[in-house]
Amino acid sequence: MIRDSQLLDQLVTTVRRFVRERLIPAEPGVEQENAIPGAIIDEMRDLGLFGLTIPEAYGGLGLTMEEEVMVALELGYTSPAFRSVIGTNNGIGSQGIIADGTDEQKQYWLPRLARGEVIGSFALTEPDVGSDAAAIKTAARRQGKNYILNGTKRFITNAPIADVFTLMARTGGEGASGITAFLVPRNSPGLSLGKIDEKMGQRGTRTCDVILEDCVVPADAIIGGVEGQGFKTAMKVLNRGRLHIAAVCVGAAQRLCDESVSYARERKQFGKAIGEHQLVQAMLAESGTECFAGRCMVIEAARRMDSGARIIQEAASCKLYCSEMVGRVADRAVQIHGGSGYMRDSAVEHFYRDVRLFRLYEGTSQIQQIIIAREMLNA
Amino acid sequence: MKVLVPVKRVVDANVKVRVKGDGSGVELANVKMAMNPFDEIAVEEAIRLKDAGKVEEIIVVSIGPAQAQETLRTALAMGADRAILVKTDETAEPLGVAKVLKGVVDAEKPGLVILGKQAIDDDANQTGQMLAALLGWAQGTFASKVEINGDKAKVTREVDGGLQTIDLKMPAIVTVDLRLNQPRYASLPNIMKAKKKPLDEKSAADFGADLKPRLKVVKTEEPGGRKAGVKVKDVAELVSSLKSAGVI
Ligand SMILES: Cc1cc2nc3c(=O)[nH]c(=O)nc-3n(C[C@H](O)[C@H](O)[C@H](O)COP(=O)(O)OP(=O)(O)OC[C@H]3O[C@@H](n4cnc5c(N)ncnc54)[C@H](O)[C@@H]3O)c2cc1C
């Protein structure tokens, strides 16, 4: 749902300009330094990018799903590392609070997250637990007015810069109903960070372990104040995250198409631009078509979500198709660039590595397939 | 003090402009439009003067079609206080625009009018100068620096071969050049808030002016393509071929 098309057009145009004038020129530096310059993070903050999805009452933009998708399509056009900085505040690092938080939690955290004054991060995965998320082992034991947390969280995006973690821990018995979501400030006693992970791509973003050793948090750190609701909270916000990621994938695919087209126009072999060779045209046509298909499905699914429909299947389909699709498009983009596409100073080279992640996190492709089939069979 | 900043809606600088089939102008249907980049610099300068406490209110005005509203909203989102749209479907020409602006100045009584030095569509570079003439005000064109002190504006101008600094007695007209500042992006929350700022719709007649075209476009053509060059062996041959071409 688009509430005001003229207004959205201005938002999208502004983000597009920012991406093209500020972020794309900064890509080579981010690759080189494996860090996003602080000045760029400040600009992203000034622009209001941290509060896209946080309700207006708490200082955010309160974008509908369709509006968020339109913005994510633009953000996807540059290195995913930039999007990752604002990803957690707009996604799983704030959505849990919005969905199920108490008034005090909303009043305290949401305006700060919207302004980008604090960075939120989401900690579910553990060394022994990934796809089977309901099996987490991190334990939370009640002690008077506090909870004592013990366990390790793995591959946590933005953990090294986070101020607060939405952290899943077990307060009860086995399975999903024993899981509780806590808001754990970075400076909680007993919380430490592991060394920063060396990743394949998305240089400039940081993940690391979050280690809890008799970490103390007050009882009012439970999102919504009630034990055993954590898994339900996480499930509520998954659809939004999946559509957001799918839109980012489409934005990246569009960039890869544009890079491929401009290279195919410039590069000459056998006396003509390689874009005039039909086998190269076939690759462009496949990529252009798949990119368009992804765009259509993600916008359609977003509209359905805004209308209140159950879209578990559609959201999983979008995440599955768009993340796999951008992998194929990136592969063709490298092929069209020939040897240059294998070299570090080519944008398609880092996109090829960067987009690989989209098939793994927020539910692997196999997990999406399981969800889609389950929805189909249970309908 | 009030500042008036006129802003024009033009073809976006990133669009590859195409000439219409009949040569009557350039293709505008379904083309991305944006605020004239020089006008963005003018708006930015007004906001900086306001931030520095030299200005109380920034009024932006656009003379153009209904869609020029979007351009005004952008200026409001950047930080202007209110907007006036002088709606017209005629092609806005410098003299007509200057006459309307004179009317706006008479009504609003700003201490300073800051304009872009030219619009990137017709590159006329006339409106600011014409407005200064119509008002009988001092003007500082092609500004790369503007300082306000009491009733004086000190303007550094980019002129051929260097910089010239002049003092203007206010009220005055300033037209801005590229190097004056780097305009800000309107923040997304401010874009949302700009929706609630006042935007008045007027006609040229409300300001006692008319926008009837005074110019006739004879022909619009694509610039000629680049011609093939020649390769020279060394500096001596370069110099001799430049001489025989009569350029040195
Ligand atoms: C860069 C990066 C950032 C991350 N950020 C975060 C974060 O911020 N917070 C967080 O909590 N987590 C984060 N993760 C973790 C991520 O969500 C998990 O890696 C992901 O869910 C997969 O879990 P796993 O790695 O343990 O793989 P596993 O679950 O061990 O899966 C291994 C393989 O087995 C397949 N598989 C598993 N179960 C089944 C099944 N039932 N049927 C068929 N196939 C199956 C998987 O699809 C996969 O191919 C991040 C990971 C990375 C790489």
Side-chain angles (χ1 to χ4, degrees), chain A residues 88 92 121-132 153-159 166 197 199 201-202 205-207 357 359-367 369-370:
Chain A
T88 44
I92 198 109
S121 181
F122 178 75
L124 169 68
T125 306
E126 299 178 356
D128 295 332
V129 182
S131 298
D132 187 9
K153 295 294 179 182
R154 181 135 293 173
F155 307 148
I156 304 306
T157 299
N158 288 337
T166 296
D197 301 319
K199 305 191 298 332
Q202 302 213 1
T205 62
R206 301 272 194 278
T207 66
L357 178 59
R359 289 186 253 170
L360 299 170
Y361 69 3
E362 303 231 6
T364 64
S365 290
Q366 290 67 39
I367 295 303
Q369 288 175 316
I370 291 170

Side-chain angles (χ1 to χ4, degrees), chain A residues 38-218:
Chain A
I40 291 217
I41 297 182
D42 289 344
E43 282 186 71
M44 292 169 81
R45 197 175 280 127
D46 290 345
L47 204 59
L49 287 176
F50 285 88
L52 298 174
T53 61
I54 293 173
E56 285 180 90
Y58 299 102
L61 299 182
L63 298 187
T64 64
M65 193 67 238
E66 187 177 358
E67 293 167 345
E68 182 185 347
V69 156
M70 300 314 284
V71 172
L73 287 168
E74 297 299 330
L75 287 172
Y77 199 76
T78 183
S79 284
F82 298 114
R83 201 273 334 169
S84 182
V85 176
I86 58 151
T88 44
N89 278 36
N90 283 304
I92 198 109
S94 67
Q95 294 299 313
I97 306 175
I98 295 168
D100 285 339
T102 62
D103 274 349
E104 294 80 63
Q105 287 166 341
K106 290 180 182 170
Q107 300 286 356
Y108 185 81
W109 290 110
L110 295 180
R112 289 173 170 80
L113 287 162
R115 287 195 294 269
E117 207 175 282
V118 307
I119 301 287
S121 181
F122 178 75
L124 169 68
T125 306
E126 299 178 356
D128 295 332
V129 182
S131 298
D132 187 9
I136 57 160
K137 294 175 182 166
T138 296
R141 180 165 44 84
R142 177 113 200 189
Q143 193 176 74
K145 288 195 181 120
N146 296 325
Y147 279 85
I148 313 293
L149 308 180
N150 278 290
T152 299
K153 295 294 179 182
R154 181 135 293 173
F155 307 148
I156 304 306
T157 299
N158 288 337
I161 55 168
D163 302 284
V164 61
F165 296 92
T166 296
L167 188 140
M168 297 292 168
R170 189 166 300 285
T171 47
E174 275 181 25
S177 60
I179 297 174
T180 299
F182 290 88
L183 285 166
V184 183
R186 163 70 185 94
N187 55 12
S188 303
L191 186 152
S192 62
L193 299 178
K195 75 166 183 42
I196 290 173
D197 301 319
E198 297 274 351
K199 305 191 298 332
M200 174 194 290
Q202 302 213 1
R203 282 169 68 80
T205 62
R206 301 272 194 278
T207 66
C208 71
D209 281 3
V210 177
I211 302 154
L212 307 154
E213 291 165 307
D214 291 331
C215 171
V216 185
V217 292

Side-chain angles (χ1 to χ4, degrees), chain A residues 202-276:
Chain A
Q202 302 213 1
R203 282 169 68 80
T205 62
R206 301 272 194 278
T207 66
C208 71
D209 281 3
V210 177
I211 302 154
L212 307 154
E213 291 165 307
D214 291 331
C215 171
V216 185
V217 292
D220 64 9
I222 292 180
I223 291 183
V226 187
E227 279 188 12
Q229 300 297 308
F231 208 74
K232 281 193 203 132
T233 300
M235 293 303 124
K236 278 189 199 162
V237 305
L238 280 180
N239 289 332
R240 180 160 214 128
R242 286 179 182 149
L243 291 181
H244 179 101
I245 293 285
V248 169
C249 290
V250 174
Q254 187 61 56
R255 170 72 181 282
L256 287 157
C257 285
D258 292 353
E259 294 280 342
S260 300
V261 166
S262 63
Y263 193 79
R265 280 199 185 119
E266 300 278 307
R267 176 72 178 169
K268 293 196 173 59
Q269 286 297 294
F270 298 96
K272 50 186 177 183
I274 58 166
E276 289 177 39

